[in-house]
Amino acid sequence: MNRTLKALPFTQVTIEDQFWAPRLRANRENTLTACLDQCDSTGRISNFAKAGGQADGEFEGIYYNDSDVYKVLEGVAYALMSQSNAELERRADDIIDQIAAAQEEDGYLLCYFTLQAPDKKWTDMAYHEMYCGGHLMEAAVAYKKATGKGALLAVACKLADHYDEIFGPGKRHWVPGHEEIELALIKLYEETKEDRYRDLAFWLLEERGHGNGSGEIWDREGWGPAYCQDDKPIREMTNVSGHAVRAMYLYTAVADAAAITSDQGYIDALDRLWESVVLRNMYVTGGIGPSKDNEGFTLDYDLPNETAYCETCASVGMVYWNHRMNLLHRDAKYADVVETALYNGALAGVSLSGDRFFYVNPLASKGAHHRVEWFGTSCCPTQIARFVPSIGNYVYATGDQTIYINLYVAGTGTMKLEDGVVTLTQKTNYPWDGNVQITVDATEMCSFELGLRIPGWCESAAFHVNDVPTRPAKLNKGYATLVREWKTGDTVTLQLDMSVQREHALPLVKANQGRVALRRGPLVYCVEQADNELNMEQWIVSSSTAFFTEHRADVLEGVTLIHCEDAASGKQFAAIPYYAWDNREPGPMAVWLREEK
Amino acid sequence: MNRTLKALPFTQVTIEDQFWAPRLRANRENTLTACLDQCDSTGRISNFAKAGGQADGEFEGIYYNDSDVYKVLEGVAYALMSQSNAELERRADDIIDQIAAAQEEDGYLLCYFTLQAPDKKWTDMAYHEMYCGGHLMEAAVAYKKATGKGALLAVACKLADHYDEIFGPGKRHWVPGHEEIELALIKLYEETKEDRYRDLAFWLLEERGHGNGSGEIWDREGWGPAYCQDDKPIREMTNVSGHAVRAMYLYTAVADAAAITSDQGYIDALDRLWESVVLRNMYVTGGIGPSKDNEGFTLDYDLPNETAYCETCASVGMVYWNHRMNLLHRDAKYADVVETALYNGALAGVSLSGDRFFYVNPLASKGAHHRVEWFGTSCCPTQIARFVPSIGNYVYATGDQTIYINLYVAGTGTMKLEDGVVTLTQKTNYPWDGNVQITVDATEMCSFELGLRIPGWCESAAFHVNDVPTRPAKLNKGYATLVREWKTGDTVTLQLDMSVQREHALPLVKANQGRVALRRGPLVYCVEQADNELNMEQWIVSSSTAFFTEHRADVLEGVTLIHCEDAASGKQFAAIPYYAWDNREPGPMAVWLREEK
């Protein structure tokens, strides 16, 4: 039996629910266009034209700006896979032409060095050369899948070949200052089946922690090799360190490599790192990286709220990494983290309208923190642009004769098992309630195990199969499994009991002592001034009171509010899902509320 | 505004739900008949005929056996109020004739002393003379209400007059060894409006704690006055002591008195005693009194499971007392205790068939504890006989312009407010789920506050009024209140989120360290051998696993099972509601289960 699961790609998944469909529409209609427009107006796209001799002028912006263009292209590709859009595709093709032109003869591609400092290529490992290259590769694979057009993929392969010529065993050492290339080369390998790309990815992973890194980061006081996870070899890693997004991209690649090689040293390291991140360094929102100074980690349990950095990209990185961990270990606890980061830390990164973004996601604000249209370093908007249209990736996974449902999202998933093709249709109002109806459509009578994730937040669940109360055969690593000969029309109803829950931080988290966070299903809540007359100092939750929930179609495109009441004074205040904050007038916000008798 | 609430008598309440209607039917069809038959065959009834000169022979049984006959008559009366039954009424009338005949010329009535020791009357306060008299009064009031027939009430009044002649200010002292007369005299006063009965009740309450008590109990080593709550005056009481049922009956009477007089000394004492009982001496089932030795209390937090005494009568007493506390304080926390004791500790006292009884209700058994048809001291069967048909008393309470719903039971309640008559109809599957639909039928447009109890176990709730999501005006002492102009057809739907919950005992409860009890809504669960292949040592709950619930119409007349699984071994075992245990083959049972990582 294959140890790892396969994710069902989002192209085999339709999303038709009230929660995610509007988010995907906002992405398609606003986010992608907004990001393309910003890439245009900030010179990110014309940099390619300039580098390719199609336009005149100097390089504009920051040396890693190419990556934003690639990430938006990746998002466009994902959007096109779900729904054709001639205008978006035309814009993409046009950009791809410029990218292709910008590639140098030998394959090198990074506008900054080509235009501004050609003699400085490959001199400082901090300079995101391979980081940008990695994003190109991801975009290229996506665009090929979406359109069948191979132009960008040819650029990506030529770039990968260029890397492979210079770096590798017996060639030059290189420790990419910002990881990304490793996971991208594995993706490129999976698309092209070119073993060299895989081997180069593996070699780059092994480069780390042996003193081969050098450059500005390595020398900077307080940063050093740990900042970019170069302080020790992967197999010796025990605790997360440094820049949060870099760590996530590295761990994602390590998990990809382990899925291919079953390297136990990698798996053991990942398991240790997972405990380090999730048990000691993660916010209740799934956000990570408390510090603005290094955009990353500090000390275990240092999780301040108002100054929480929690970069949007890092929450997305948590989804990427934990998704791989779930596939690797067939354990729903990783999908729990995917869900938490997805519905909270990551989704807060974009406005409901799709065209305003957070880079930084604090868990409390006095009112001065707001989404904006763009940033000088705009990794987060473009991360959202490519992430949201691909969330279908996280819904289903398959084993040999098992279908696992990791997320409850209305829509369908179509997957090929040994015995035939199966389509599952989910009907649900999740995350607003915990009832999910799953209908089977099979090409023929089909025996498989259906594994339904019982989320970590869920205290109890009930099942019916074809309206008959049923208990699952077992609860295996967080999956309730039903085994039977399925036939078309068979229906499983899952009821996940969903109460408002009080989350308490560990005593070691000083910021949250005497405080409570409210959670309902996958959603972490916050209190925002816009809903309330009481001010921030009065948002105090009685330690014994019950909460009232109220679904309001007219608030924030439809959310379930949690009404809180101080039993003593009778004052009420309302909480909203954290992902939806700062979509109205600016004002104070808090996730962790004072809790009193 | 009147400080205390009024309970809506069960005669104004219909019970039509799947949970309680079968229990009431079993009571009507089996419990009452079984108890009457037992009273017949054990000589309890013929004792009256003998005392009245209608039959020959000696007194049979124990000196307090008269009380069982009265309690069954009270139960018959309640049953007749809900549904006429010529055969039951004929049997009751026949017994009442014998009781009337047994009353002595001066009003004295207790078969034991009349027949066996007439010279020992009123010589030992332990001898339950007024205890039996009190039960006669309760039965008489009930039978008058049920049938309009006054014969038994006349006997009761003559007996009360007899007491009043002998005892009271300037007359003899008396401290009833087993309380009951106090609450009964208040009931008799409320029926007859005869102030002397109330005053005698108040005087009897004041008799306690002044050294006036004497008799076998007072002298017995280890018992003494505290055994029957005679160690200090009521206003000075701080901790529960002695015999559990006696304590409950006393506190019930004190609460009744306080409702009439608003005596702050009594109220303060009740509040202290409530904390003593509920916070330090109550089992998770609502059962009280751990010790077989004194049928009562020992030390705070001494709550052993296998040797738990938890007399059925004491759980019923908890309902009586906490019901009065709820009315006195308008606080739902007392109704929480009513609900817990009702659905668990008390209901376990009778088999589903209605004709087998527990006197003792342990929370764990190796398999040797079973319900039987009758006991030498049979207070518990006859307690159940009169308690079950009156549970409608605990559903609704009214204030001036407020209707409080304390229990969620399908059926109707009809109550008169200042503005008109209101009938509320509840539709619900409670306790199997937490959804309740309440429809208003009002004689005319009517403004009142509807207070819905949010049970202490409930973490969150949602409301709709006429299908519109609504938040209550406030949460006041556990009641969510909705205020509006109600008109016929208005419908409130209440959704009480109901997950399986883990109960952990306080660290001071040694018996339960490292253990967990499962609760779902009002029901406490236990694991019983009959459902399981695993044996008692293997009933171990993982500290992190989710539970599966499964409603099984074919098990124990319809129960929701909780399936538990040890995440490590994958072994499953099922838990059933505690009230339903020992209704199949005998076997081990446990409420508190080992909990492990």
Side-chain angles (χ1 to χ4, degrees):
Chain A
M1 188 175 114
N2 197 335
R3 189 155 172 275
T4 62
L5 299 177
K6 285 189 295 189
L8 185 68
F10 72 86
T11 48
Q12 299 302 107
V13 177
T14 66
I15 291 180
E16 294 154 23
D17 75 349
Q18 294 176 2
F19 188 86
W20 285 111
R23 303 280 68 74
L24 268 69
R25 188 169 54 244
N27 184 274
R28 202 164 57 232
E29 295 178 358
N30 297 330
T31 309
L32 294 172
T33 312
C35 287
L36 285 172
D37 290 348
Q38 291 287 351
C39 285
D40 248 337
S41 65
T42 58
R44 280 169 167 82
I45 294 172
S46 61
N47 280 337
F48 289 101
K50 293 170 190 168
Q54 298 178 330
D56 292 327
E58 295 192 347
F59 179 83
E60 281 185 81
I62 312 171
Y63 58 84
Y64 43 66
N65 272 4
D66 293 6
S67 62
D68 291 324
V69 179
Y70 300 140
K71 284 159 76 185
V72 185
L73 284 179
E74 186 184 345
V76 168
Y78 296 155
L80 293 176
M81 289 187 208
S82 300
Q83 193 173 317
S84 64
N85 184 322
E87 168 60 14
L88 272 181
E89 190 169 339
R90 191 200 56 72
R91 284 186 79 167
D93 286 337
D94 183 53
I95 295 166
I96 290 167
D97 283 344
Q98 297 174 62
I99 293 168
Q103 187 165 38
E104 298 189 20
E105 200 64 36
D106 62 357
Y108 187 87
L109 181 52
L110 192 75
C111 295
Y112 170 78
F113 284 111
T114 299
L115 285 170
Q116 187 152 323
D119 56 328
K120 293 280 172 42
K121 291 174 191 167
W122 306 121
T123 57
D124 186 327
M125 297 184 193
Y127 268 77
H128 289 48
E129 288 166 283
M130 285 192 185
Y131 168 85
C132 291
H135 279 304
L136 166 62
M137 292 168 198
E138 289 201 85
V141 170
Y143 205 72
K144 174 70 161 61
K145 283 187 207 285
T147 64
K149 297 174 185 169
L152 196 62
L153 188 62
V155 174
C157 289
K158 188 172 175 184
L159 181 60
D161 292 339
H162 175 65
Y163 295 166
D164 191 45
E165 268 174 42
I166 305 173
F167 306 102
K171 295 174 257 183
R172 280 186 64 180
H173 285 291
W174 195 260
V175 178
H178 194 313
E179 299 92 325
E180 154 66 20
I181 183 64
E182 303 85 352
L183 72 87
L185 280 167
I186 293 172
K187 240 183 208 185
L188 190 64
Y189 152 72
E190 284 168 348
E191 175 66 22
T192 63
K193 307 300 175 201
E194 182 61 66
D195 290 349
R196 286 183 301 118
Y197 303 152
R198 176 197 63 200
D199 295 342
L200 182 59
F202 289 180
W203 178 82
L204 284 166
L205 292 174
E206 285 296 312
E207 277 287 275
R208 311 191 87 78
H210 298 290
N212 297 320
S214 67
E216 189 268 336
I217 289 170
W218 281 260
D219 303 330
R220 204 190 296 184
E221 185 167 338
W223 289 28
Y227 174 79
C228 57
Q229 301 79 42
D230 186 34
D231 52 329
K232 55 182 72 169
I234 289 164
R235 287 183 187 76
E236 296 171 23
M237 290 181 177
T238 52
N239 291 295
V240 71
S241 72
H243 188 272
V245 179
R246 297 173 203 229
M248 292 305 107
Y249 286 6
L250 173 63
Y251 303 164
T252 299
V254 174
D256 279 339
I260 296 170
T261 64
S262 300
D263 186 311
Q264 196 59 47
Y266 275 17
I267 294 170
D268 292 345
L270 287 169
D271 293 348
R272 292 191 301 269
L273 291 165
W274 189 84
E275 296 207 340
S276 168
V277 174
V278 174
L279 306 186
R280 303 194 290 276
N281 289 284
M282 185 176 79
Y283 285 90
V284 69
T285 55
I288 52 169
S291 174
K292 177 181 164 67
D293 294 341
N294 65 349
E295 297 193 318
F297 297 95
T298 53
L299 299 170
D300 285 352
Y301 309 110
D302 175 29
L303 296 164
N305 292 311
E306 205 177 319
T307 60
Y309 197 69
C310 287
E311 184 178 337
T312 300
C313 285
S315 286
V316 174
M318 281 289 273
V319 174
Y320 291 155
W321 175 38
N322 279 277
H323 176 55
R324 266 73 164 191
M325 293 296 281
N326 170 257
L327 300 175
L328 193 62
H329 284 313
R330 290 178 185 249
D331 192 325
K333 73 179 181 181
Y334 305 105
D336 287 348
V337 179
V338 168
E339 184 178 68
T340 294
L342 173 60
Y343 278 90
N344 303 285
L347 192 56
V350 60
S351 66
L352 295 175
S353 60
D355 56 2
R356 295 287 186 285
F357 307 94
F358 279 146
Y359 192 115
V360 172
N361 293 275
L363 279 78
S365 169
K366 290 206 171 72
H369 190 74
H370 308 299
R371 290 191 191 81
V372 297
E373 292 180 16
W374 197 247
F375 303 90
T377 294
S378 233
C379 51
C380 293
T382 55
Q383 185 84 314
I384 286 289
R386 71 180 186 136
F387 175 64
V388 169
S390 68
I391 57 141
N393 280 338
Y394 310 105
V395 180
Y396 300 94
T398 56
D400 286 349
Q401 276 303 105
T402 309
I403 300 174
Y404 294 91
I405 303 187
N406 273 328
L407 295 181
Y408 298 108
V409 176
T412 65
T414 301
M415 46 222 109
K416 202 173 168 336
L417 300 181
E418 278 178 24
D419 289 0
V421 174
V422 175
T423 296
L424 300 182
T425 302
Q426 293 189 43
K427 288 187 184 171
T428 181
N429 291 320
Y430 198 88
W432 307 123
D433 71 44
N435 299 323
V436 186
Q437 188 195 77
I438 300 148
T439 307
V440 175
D441 189 331
T443 45
E444 52 201 300
M445 191 84 150
C446 191
S447 176
F448 62 87
E449 185 178 68
L450 182 61
L452 302 172
R453 184 173 69 93
I454 307 301
W457 55 259
C458 179
E459 292 159 326
S460 51
F463 292 81
H464 289 71
V465 176
N466 298 333
D467 295 328
V468 178
T470 304
R471 66 171 161 145
K474 56 183 175 170
L475 181 63
N476 191 7
K477 293 186 177 178
Y479 292 103
T481 56
L482 299 164
V483 186
R484 54 185 275 142
E485 289 278 326
W486 302 91
K487 61 180 193 307
T488 293
D490 280 347
T491 298
V492 176
T493 57
L494 166 62
Q495 175 195 321
L496 300 166
D497 297 328
M498 192 187 278
S499 301
V500 175
Q501 296 174 325
R502 291 166 190 265
E503 299 269 354
H504 294 102
L506 294 173
L508 289 162
V509 181
K510 287 189 191 141
N512 298 335
Q513 291 320 296
R515 293 186 179 266
V516 63
L518 305 183
R519 182 181 185 119
R520 183 168 179 272
L523 298 177
V524 175
Y525 276 66
C526 67
V527 180
E528 192 179 34
Q529 194 66 68
D531 302 289
N532 294 293
E533 290 181 10
L534 294 182
N535 64 37
M536 199 168 186
E537 291 68 41
Q538 296 169 298
W539 302 340
I540 303 169
V541 178
S542 156
S543 64
S544 61
T545 189
F547 300 99
F548 301 130
T549 58
E550 181 191 10
H551 193 76
R552 287 281 294 273
D554 58 330
V555 176
L556 294 164
E557 299 192 9
V559 296
T560 296
L561 301 176
I562 298 176
H563 296 290
C564 311
E565 190 170 51
D566 174 23
S569 70
K571 291 172 184 166
Q572 287 192 3
F573 55 95
I576 59 164
Y578 175 75
Y579 78 81
W581 86 279
D582 194 39
N583 276 285
R584 297 169 298 192
E585 65 269 36
M589 179 279 292
V591 170
W592 289 97
L593 308 171
R594 268 171 57 203
E595 187 177 42
E596 290 185 2
K597 280 276 179 193
Chain B
M1 189 174 113
N2 196 335
R3 188 153 174 278
T4 62
L5 299 177
K6 285 189 295 189
L8 186 68
F10 72 86
T11 47
Q12 300 300 106
V13 176
T14 66
I15 292 180
E16 293 154 24
D17 76 348
Q18 293 177 4
F19 189 87
W20 285 110
R23 303 280 68 76
L24 268 68
R25 188 169 54 245
N27 183 275
R28 203 164 57 231
E29 295 178 357
N30 297 330
T31 309
L32 294 171
T33 312
C35 287
L36 285 171
D37 291 349
Q38 291 286 351
C39 284
D40 248 336
S41 64
T42 58
R44 279 169 167 82
I45 294 172
S46 61
N47 279 337
F48 289 101
K50 293 170 190 169
Q54 296 179 333
D56 292 329
E58 295 191 347
F59 178 83
E60 279 185 82
I62 312 172
Y63 59 85
Y64 44 64
N65 272 5
D66 293 8
S67 62
D68 290 325
V69 179
Y70 300 140
K71 283 159 75 186
V72 185
L73 284 179
E74 187 184 345
V76 168
Y78 295 155
L80 293 176
M81 290 187 208
S82 301
Q83 193 172 317
S84 64
N85 184 321
E87 169 61 13
L88 272 182
E89 187 168 342
R90 191 200 55 71
R91 283 185 81 167
D93 286 339
D94 183 53
I95 294 166
I96 290 167
D97 284 345
Q98 297 174 63
I99 292 168
Q103 187 165 39
E104 297 189 22
E105 199 64 33
D106 63 357
Y108 187 87
L109 180 52
L110 192 78
C111 295
Y112 169 77
F113 283 110
T114 298
L115 285 170
Q116 190 151 321
D119 56 328
K120 293 280 174 39
K121 291 173 189 166
W122 306 121
T123 58
D124 186 327
M125 297 183 192
Y127 267 79
H128 289 47
E129 287 166 283
M130 286 192 183
Y131 168 85
C132 290
H135 279 302
L136 166 61
M137 291 167 199
E138 289 200 85
V141 170
Y143 204 72
K144 175 68 162 61
K145 284 187 205 283
T147 64
K149 297 174 186 171
L152 195 62
L153 188 62
V155 174
C157 289
K158 188 173 175 183
L159 180 60
D161 293 338
H162 174 65
Y163 295 166
D164 190 45
E165 269 174 41
I166 305 174
F167 305 102
K171 296 174 256 185
R172 280 186 64 178
H173 284 291
W174 195 260
V175 179
H178 194 313
E179 298 91 327
E180 154 66 20
I181 184 64
E182 303 85 352
L183 71 88
L185 279 167
I186 293 172
K187 239 182 208 183
L188 191 64
Y189 152 72
E190 283 168 347
E191 176 66 21
T192 63
K193 308 299 176 200
E194 181 62 65
D195 289 350
R196 287 181 302 116
Y197 302 153
R198 176 199 63 200
D199 296 343
L200 182 59
F202 288 1
W203 178 82
L204 284 166
L205 290 175
E206 286 296 311
E207 276 286 275
R208 311 191 87 79
H210 298 291
N212 297 320
S214 67
E216 188 269 335
I217 289 170
W218 281 262
D219 304 330
R220 203 191 295 184
E221 186 168 340
W223 289 28
Y227 174 79
C228 57
Q229 300 78 41
D230 186 34
D231 52 329
K232 55 182 72 170
I234 289 163
R235 286 183 187 75
E236 296 171 21
M237 289 181 178
T238 51
N239 290 296
V240 71
S241 72
H243 187 273
V245 180
R246 297 174 204 227
M248 292 305 106
Y249 286 7
L250 173 63
Y251 304 164
T252 299
V254 175
D256 280 339
I260 297 170
T261 64
S262 300
D263 186 311
Q264 195 58 47
Y266 275 17
I267 293 170
D268 292 344
L270 287 169
D271 292 348
R272 292 190 301 269
L273 291 165
W274 190 84
E275 296 207 340
S276 167
V277 173
V278 174
L279 305 186
R280 304 193 291 273
N281 289 284
M282 185 176 80
Y283 284 89
V284 69
T285 56
I288 53 168
S291 173
K292 178 182 163 69
D293 295 340
N294 66 348
E295 297 194 317
F297 297 96
T298 54
L299 299 170
D300 285 353
Y301 309 110
D302 175 29
L303 296 164
N305 292 312
E306 203 176 320
T307 61
Y309 198 69
C310 287
E311 185 179 336
T312 301
C313 286
S315 287
V316 173
M318 280 289 274
V319 174
Y320 291 155
W321 176 38
N322 279 279
H323 175 55
R324 266 74 164 191
M325 293 296 282
N326 170 257
L327 299 176
L328 193 63
H329 284 312
R330 289 177 185 251
D331 191 325
K333 73 179 180 181
Y334 304 106
D336 286 348
V337 179
V338 168
E339 184 178 70
T340 295
L342 172 61
Y343 279 89
N344 303 285
L347 193 55
V350 59
S351 65
L352 295 175
S353 60
D355 56 2
R356 296 285 188 285
F357 307 94
F358 279 145
Y359 193 115
V360 173
N361 293 276
L363 279 77
S365 169
K366 291 209 169 70
H369 190 74
H370 308 298
R371 289 192 191 80
V372 297
E373 293 180 14
W374 197 245
F375 303 91
T377 293
S378 234
C379 51
C380 293
T382 56
Q383 186 82 316
I384 286 289
R386 71 180 187 136
F387 175 65
V388 169
S390 67
I391 56 141
N393 281 337
Y394 310 106
V395 180
Y396 300 95
T398 56
D400 285 350
Q401 276 303 105
T402 308
I403 300 174
Y404 294 91
I405 304 187
N406 273 327
L407 295 181
Y408 298 107
V409 176
T412 65
T414 300
M415 48 222 108
K416 206 177 165 330
L417 301 182
E418 279 178 22
D419 289 1
V421 174
V422 174
T423 296
L424 299 182
T425 301
Q426 291 190 43
K427 288 187 184 172
T428 181
N429 291 320
Y430 199 88
W432 307 124
D433 70 45
N435 299 323
V436 186
Q437 187 196 78
I438 300 149
T439 307
V440 175
D441 190 329
T443 46
E444 51 201 300
M445 193 83 150
C446 191
S447 175
F448 62 87
E449 185 179 70
L450 182 61
L452 303 172
R453 184 173 70 92
I454 307 301
W457 55 258
C458 179
E459 293 160 326
S460 51
F463 292 81
H464 289 71
V465 176
N466 298 333
D467 296 326
V468 179
T470 304
R471 67 172 161 144
K474 55 182 176 172
L475 181 62
N476 191 6
K477 293 185 178 178
Y479 292 102
T481 56
L482 300 165
V483 186
R484 55 185 273 142
E485 290 279 326
W486 301 92
K487 60 180 196 306
T488 294
D490 280 346
T491 297
V492 176
T493 56
L494 166 63
Q495 175 194 321
L496 300 166
D497 296 329
M498 193 187 277
S499 300
V500 175
Q501 296 173 325
R502 291 167 191 264
E503 298 268 356
H504 294 100
L506 294 172
L508 289 162
V509 181
K510 287 189 191 142
N512 297 336
Q513 292 319 297
R515 292 185 180 268
V516 63
L518 306 183
R519 181 179 185 120
R520 182 169 181 271
L523 298 176
V524 174
Y525 275 68
C526 67
V527 181
E528 192 179 35
Q529 194 67 68
D531 301 290
N532 294 292
E533 289 181 10
L534 295 181
N535 64 37
M536 198 167 186
E537 291 68 40
Q538 297 169 295
W539 302 340
I540 302 170
V541 179
S542 156
S543 64
S544 61
T545 188
F547 301 100
F548 300 130
T549 58
E550 181 191 11
H551 193 76
R552 287 282 295 272
D554 58 329
V555 175
L556 295 164
E557 299 193 8
V559 295
T560 296
L561 301 177
I562 298 176
H563 296 290
C564 310
E565 189 170 53
D566 174 24
S569 70
K571 291 173 184 167
Q572 287 192 4
F573 55 96
I576 59 165
Y578 176 75
Y579 78 81
W581 85 280
D582 195 39
N583 276 286
R584 296 169 300 192
E585 65 269 34
M589 179 278 292
V591 170
W592 289 96
L593 308 171
R594 269 172 56 204
E595 187 177 42
E596 290 184 2
K597 281 274 181 197

